[in-house]
Amino acid sequence: MKLSNAIKSAVPAAILGILALGITPMAGASTVTSNMAVTASVQATCIVNAAAMAFGTYVSTAASTSTANITVTCTNSTTYTLGLDAGATSGASVTTRQMKNGAAVLNYALFSDAGHTTNWGNTTGSWVSGIGNGAGQAIPVYGQAAAGQYVTPGAYTDTIIATVTY
């Protein structure tokens, strides 16, 4: 098989065209490098999510208890405290919280231990402390409405504000 004269003359012309465009073969190519600095600043942050606490049906002859979780998510190694306020009922305190039904109130308390001995408030000594690990940490809240409260029948409610300080 013989190459035609047209092809024979086209190949050198193509090589000359490539050289004219400044395209050179990779043989003998050089490289240089440079470092690029990459930085970030991570700020401490926390998120809090409180689940509802339901005591169910209160019977005045026996204490009513309930448990709910507050989930705190903080950046890794961030120290925090979790405090609970007195609630929305006027006259309530962190040691005697009150659910309200019209003018009637049902007293209850919130604790940081299952034995209902450590009252949970929002001041030094009554809050719960922790260290964030980047994942949600479920912290149980133990509630108790003491026996012996002969209150008006109906639905009682309150709203507690959970505050994370970090």
Side-chain angles (χ1 to χ4, degrees), residues 150-161:
Y150 296 92
V151 297
T152 305
Y156 288 77
T157 62
D158 192 17
T159 302
I160 297 294
I161 298 174

Side-chain angles (χ1 to χ4, degrees), residues 66-79:
S66 184
T67 304
N69 282 328
I70 297 176
T71 302
V72 177
T73 307
C74 292
T75 49
N76 193 30
S77 75
T78 299
T79 59

